[in-house]
Structures are given as structure tokens and as C-alpha cells.
Amino acid sequence: MKILRVIFFLFVAKTSFANVILPSVFSDHMVIQQNDQVKFWGWASPNEEVIIRPSWTTEIYKTKASNQAKWELMVKTPSYGGPFIISIKGYNEIVLNDILIGEVWLCSGQSNMEMSASWGIKNMDEVEKANHPNIRFFNIPKLSSETPQNNVPANWQASTPEIMKNSSAVAYFFAKRLQENLKEVPVGLIVSSWGGTPAEVWMPEETILNNSILNKAASKLKPVEWGPTQPARAFNAMINPFIGYNIAGVLWYQGEANVGAKNYEKTLTALISSWRSIWNNNFPFYYVQIAQFEYGGDHFGGTEIRNAQRKVLNLSENTGMVVIDDVSTADDIHPKDKKTVGIRLANLALKNHYKTFDGVVNGPLFKNVSFEKGKAKVSFNNSKGLNIKGDNSLFEMAGADKIFYEAKSKTNNDCIVLSSKKVKNPKYVRFAWKNTARSNVFNEANLPASTFTTEH
């Protein structure tokens, strides 16, 4: 009897403390990145053997948990397809079902990324058509933490009218457009967003602490009732748990909560660099320039953020920006047309990352300016078919005193020539330099020009 008790005790101890555990991002219905070496990880007893058997191959992957009770394996994935089954076995066995292989995108930011059809969008007729089993959401709830976390309470869900209605509308329309062009490649959307949050809460704390400019900007953030403003609080709880999960790229829609910041281009560039470094992947990072809004008439805070976002294109490689003020209004900080935004982001990805789209995906972007005989000649990238709509000029000129006056503007081939009787010797120009300004300069693709200034 004593021997039986010992055997029973050893059996219970072994089965109680030796189970393989997976983070929630590895679960039924997940999408994993195609044509890649995908990282799987989890926890198990030290030295416990972990075996992964994916149904798309006869290859078997094995490793052993470390003395820290952690393990990880790199698994090769084929071209898109599914559904597949994955067996992960230690002393116990976990079987993941309905797994798709395709393209995975991380979608993050504040409320305009979070915004779902349930909030009320222009494209409500799309909800009932949202049965797309090859589009999957991994919606992360709002969480904050002072320290990096290793798991989140979330699960993968296939797109249905109900799921789509309560998920990021921008992310959904992005995925739908990708599928139209990539011929039904499954798309996984990891949505990690929180309305009203500044960029500082979305990056590692050391990234801010080790940079005096970022640290100074973060110290100026004031507490608000709707979310954290301290560095890294959302990153720790809503990004860190799935770092290493292979992604194709990032979509970012944020900036309104940083209105008033003077160095946002440095903040966003640091965020991009920190994420790429932690993932060890120079993935594409596509973002939305915030739209015009009535932040107040006594400052240019919103305009400065838009200009900072434009600058990031030259400060960080493999980035792309979409301008949306032609489909938004200054009286609504949450533009209702999320379909156009998602499509424009998708077109960036299709042209720059997937190389499957030949159309124009960017509006005119400031290139340079030259001055001659009291006039300014402004050149743009993406300028084919450059045109000015309406009579009200949004261009301004200034001399050495940096006092700006409205300028007359006219197109000259792919440039715009400016003049003002009040500025005899122009030194600086700016465009749409007002929080509520709506761009009136377009190119052949009818895409709007971005706010810019040459003053700084």
C-alpha cells in the first residue's frame, strides 16, 4: 500500500505540475504568417520535451523547456491555406483547430483604430455582408500594467456580422481590400488599441527614459480619466504579451492625444524603431495622418502633429502615410468613413509590400521650394495631375520675419507657384496650416496633399 501511495503521489505530482501551457495568441482559429519561420512559445516544466506536429507537413519539431520553465520553437510555414490542425505535446497534449495560414497585421493606436461599426460609421451597410471566415480578429481588451506581461485574455474569432460590428472598422476594411487583391489569402488582425491614449504609453519604458527629448515630452502628459498616460502602460499589457508572434506589418492610427507636443515625429519614430527592434523585423509601418479638427483657434497643435507625421516618412524607412482630410470634417474627431481609410492603407500595403497594385497610393507630398523674383515655386512628389480645387488658397508665404500672409497660387505643370503682395522677399511657405484646414490640392488619383511648412 505504501508503494502504491508513492506511485500515486508521483503520478499526481507529474500530471499537476508538468502541463504545456500556451499564450492565448496560440489558439483555435488563429492566423499564422505564410512562407515564414514562425515562432511558437509557451511554458512547461524544466527539461520537459515539447513536440509540435503541424498538419501541413510531416516534419516534427522538438525542444525542451528551460530551467525557467519556458520553451520556444521555430516552425516553417507554407504558402497560404487551411484550415489546419496543430498538435503541441508535452506530458499533456493541446490540439489547435481551424488554423489558417496567411497574412497577419498588428493594428494599434487610439480611438480611430478602436472605432467599430457599433459606434456608427458611414458604411453601416457593410455589416450584414461581413461573413468572411478567412478574416480573423484577435481583439485585445483595454489593459494597463507597470511591468511587462506575458499573456492577454483574448481569443481569435472569424469575421461575422456580429464580430465585425464590434471590431476595428479600419482593420476590417483593410483586410477586405487585401483579400480582393490577394485572391482570398487569409488575413489575421491583431487589434490592440485604446481611445485617448498618447503614443508614449505604447512603447517600452526604457525607450523613453533613455531619450531626453522623449522623456521631457512624456513628463508633460497630464492624467486623464479615460486611460493611462504614463510611459509603457499599454505596451506592457497589450503589446508585450505577443511580441515575437510573426506579423507582416503594422497599421497605426493615433496622434490626437499628442496634440500640443512639439516633437511628435521623434516620438513616433522611436516607437517604430522600438517595435522593430523587439520583433527583430523591419516590417512595414503604415499609419493614418490625423484629420482636421476644432482643437482650438489659438494654436496650431493639430496641424503640428499632422506635419510631424509627414516628417516621419523621411525619418523612418519602410513607412507609409495616408491623408484622409478629404473624407472627414472638422466637427468630428472620429471620421465616420472608415472604409476609405482602410482601403487607402491596404493600397499602400499592396503597392509597397506585396507589389501587386500599380495604382497611385499617395497624395502630393512636399518635395522642395525655390524662390525667385518674389515668388515661390513649390514642388511635390506624387504630383502628376496636380490641381487646386476651389478659389480659397490654403498656401501662405513669409519673409525673414516669419509672419505669414495668404498667397495666391496657381499650378505650373507639376508645381505650384505662389505670390503675395505683402511678401516681397519670401523665405518660407506653408500649406493648410490650421487645425481645421481641409486640403484643396490633389493629384490625378484624387488624393489630397498633406499639411506642410518649411519654417522648421
Coordinates of all heavy atoms in Angstrom, one line a residue, residues 39 54 64 122 140 152 155 168 191 193 202 222 231 234 246 317 339 351 355 368 374 398 404 423 427 429 433 448:
K39 N 7.6 31.7 -35.0 CA 7.9 31.3 -33.6 C 6.7 30.9 -32.8 O 5.7 31.6 -32.7 CB 8.6 32.6 -32.9 CG 9.0 32.4 -31.5 CD 9.6 33.6 -31.0 CE 9.9 33.6 -29.5 NZ 10.4 34.8 -28.9
P54 N 2.5 20.1 -37.0 CA 1.5 20.8 -37.8 C 1.0 19.9 -38.9 O 1.7 19.0 -39.5 CB 2.3 21.9 -38.4 CG 3.7 21.8 -37.8 CD 3.9 20.5 -37.3
K64 N 13.1 21.3 -25.6 CA 12.9 21.1 -24.2 C 12.8 22.4 -23.5 O 13.4 23.4 -23.8 CB 14.0 20.2 -23.6 CG 14.0 18.8 -24.0 CD 15.0 18.0 -23.2 CE 14.9 16.5 -23.6 NZ 15.9 15.7 -22.9
K122 N -20.1 55.5 -41.5 CA -20.8 55.8 -42.8 C -21.1 54.5 -43.5 O -22.1 54.5 -44.3 CB -19.8 56.7 -43.7 CG -20.4 57.0 -45.0 CD -19.4 57.9 -45.8 CE -19.9 58.2 -47.2 NZ -18.9 59.0 -48.0
I140 N -7.8 42.6 -28.4 CA -7.2 42.7 -27.1 C -8.0 43.7 -26.3 O -8.2 44.8 -26.7 CB -5.7 43.0 -27.2 CG1 -5.0 41.9 -27.9 CG2 -5.1 43.3 -25.8 CD1 -3.6 42.2 -28.2
V152 N -2.4 37.7 -22.5 CA -3.6 38.6 -22.5 C -4.9 37.7 -22.6 O -4.9 36.6 -23.2 CB -3.6 39.5 -23.7 CG1 -2.5 40.6 -23.6 CG2 -3.5 38.8 -25.0
N155 N -9.0 35.9 -27.6 CA -9.0 34.8 -28.4 C -9.3 35.2 -29.9 O -9.8 36.2 -30.1 CB -10.1 33.8 -27.9 CG -11.5 34.4 -27.9 OD1 -11.8 35.2 -27.0 ND2 -12.3 34.1 -28.9
S168 N -12.5 46.6 -34.9 CA -11.9 47.8 -35.6 C -12.4 47.8 -37.1 O -12.2 46.9 -37.9 CB -10.4 47.8 -35.6 OG -9.9 48.7 -36.5
V191 N -5.7 43.3 -33.0 CA -6.2 44.7 -32.8 C -5.9 45.1 -31.3 O -6.5 44.5 -30.4 CB -7.7 44.9 -33.1 CG1 -8.1 46.3 -32.8 CG2 -8.0 44.5 -34.5
S193 N -5.8 48.5 -29.3 CA -5.9 50.0 -29.4 C -6.7 50.5 -28.1 O -7.5 49.7 -27.5 CB -6.7 50.4 -30.7 OG -7.9 49.7 -30.8
W202 N 2.5 53.4 -25.5 CA 2.6 52.3 -26.4 C 4.0 51.8 -26.8 O 4.2 51.0 -27.6 CB 1.9 52.6 -27.8 CG 0.4 52.7 -27.6 CD1 -0.4 53.8 -27.5 CD2 -0.6 51.6 -27.4 NE1 -1.7 53.5 -27.3 CE2 -1.8 52.2 -27.3 CE3 -0.4 50.2 -27.4 CZ2 -3.0 51.4 -27.1 CZ3 -1.6 49.5 -27.2 CH2 -2.8 50.0 -27.1
K222 N -0.6 64.9 -19.0 CA -1.4 65.0 -17.7 C -2.3 63.8 -17.6 O -2.8 63.3 -18.6 CB -2.2 66.3 -17.8 CG -1.3 67.6 -17.8 CD -2.1 68.8 -17.9 CE -1.2 70.1 -17.9 NZ -2.0 71.3 -18.0
P231 N 4.3 56.4 -19.4 CA 5.0 55.6 -20.4 C 4.8 54.1 -20.2 O 4.8 53.5 -19.1 CB 6.5 56.0 -20.1 CG 6.4 57.3 -19.6 CD 5.2 57.4 -18.7
A234 N 0.3 50.8 -21.7 CA -0.5 49.9 -22.6 C 0.5 48.9 -23.3 O 0.1 47.8 -23.6 CB -1.2 50.8 -23.7
N246 N 4.8 36.2 -35.3 CA 5.2 36.7 -36.7 C 4.1 37.5 -37.3 O 2.9 37.1 -37.4 CB 5.6 35.6 -37.6 CG 6.9 34.9 -37.2 OD1 7.1 34.6 -36.0 ND2 7.8 34.7 -38.1
E317 N 12.5 54.4 -42.5 CA 12.3 53.7 -43.7 C 11.1 52.8 -43.6 O 10.7 52.4 -42.6 CB 13.6 53.0 -44.1 CG 14.0 51.9 -43.1 CD 15.2 51.1 -43.5 OE1 15.8 51.4 -44.6 OE2 15.6 50.2 -42.7
K339 N -14.2 53.1 -44.2 CA -13.9 52.2 -45.4 C -12.8 52.8 -46.3 O -11.9 52.1 -46.7 CB -15.2 52.0 -46.2 CG -15.0 51.0 -47.4 CD -16.3 50.8 -48.1 CE -16.2 49.8 -49.2 NZ -17.5 49.5 -49.9
K351 N 0.8 48.0 -52.8 CA 1.8 48.5 -53.7 C 3.3 48.4 -53.2 O 4.2 47.9 -53.9 CB 1.6 50.0 -54.0 CG 2.6 50.6 -55.0 CD 2.1 51.8 -55.6 CE 3.0 52.3 -56.7 NZ 2.5 53.4 -57.6
K355 N 3.6 44.3 -53.7 CA 3.9 44.6 -55.1 C 2.9 44.0 -56.1 O 3.2 43.5 -57.2 CB 5.3 43.9 -55.4 CG 6.4 44.2 -54.4 CD 6.8 45.6 -54.3 CE 7.9 45.8 -53.4 NZ 8.3 47.2 -53.1
N368 N 10.3 70.2 -52.3 CA 11.2 71.3 -52.1 C 10.5 72.6 -52.6 O 9.5 72.6 -53.2 CB 12.5 71.1 -52.8 CG 12.4 70.9 -54.3 OD1 11.8 71.7 -55.0 ND2 13.0 69.8 -54.8
G374 N 10.5 87.3 -56.0 CA 9.4 87.5 -55.2 C 8.3 86.4 -55.2 O 7.3 86.5 -54.6
A398 N 5.9 83.8 -46.1 CA 6.5 84.7 -45.1 C 7.9 85.1 -45.5 O 8.6 84.3 -46.2 CB 6.5 84.0 -43.7
F404 N 3.3 85.2 -41.6 CA 2.8 84.6 -42.8 C 1.5 85.3 -43.3 O 0.7 85.8 -42.5 CB 2.4 83.1 -42.5 CG 3.6 82.2 -42.5 CD1 4.3 82.0 -41.4 CD2 3.9 81.5 -43.7 CE1 5.4 81.1 -41.4 CE2 5.0 80.6 -43.7 CZ 5.7 80.4 -42.5
V423 N 4.4 90.1 -49.3 CA 5.7 89.4 -49.0 C 6.6 89.6 -50.2 O 6.5 88.9 -51.2 CB 5.6 87.9 -48.7 CG1 6.9 87.3 -48.3 CG2 4.6 87.7 -47.6
K427 N 10.7 83.7 -47.8 CA 11.7 82.8 -47.3 C 11.1 81.5 -46.9 O 11.8 80.4 -46.9 CB 12.5 83.4 -46.1 CG 13.2 84.7 -46.4 CD 14.4 84.4 -47.3 CE 15.2 85.7 -47.4 NZ 16.4 85.5 -48.4
V429 N 7.3 79.0 -46.8 CA 5.9 78.7 -47.3 C 5.3 77.7 -46.4 O 6.0 76.9 -45.8 CB 5.8 78.3 -48.8 CG1 6.4 79.3 -49.7 CG2 6.5 76.9 -48.9
W433 N -2.1 75.3 -42.9 CA -1.6 75.4 -41.6 C -2.6 76.0 -40.6 O -2.6 77.1 -40.1 CB -0.3 76.3 -41.6 CG 0.6 76.1 -40.4 CD1 0.7 76.9 -39.3 CD2 1.4 74.9 -40.2 NE1 1.6 76.3 -38.4 CE2 2.0 75.1 -38.9 CE3 1.7 73.8 -40.9 CZ2 2.9 74.2 -38.4 CZ3 2.5 72.8 -40.4 CH2 3.2 73.1 -39.2
P448 N -5.5 63.8 -51.6 CA -5.2 65.1 -51.1 C -3.7 65.3 -50.7 O -3.1 64.3 -50.2 CB -6.1 65.3 -49.9 CG -6.3 63.9 -49.4 CD -6.3 63.0 -50.6

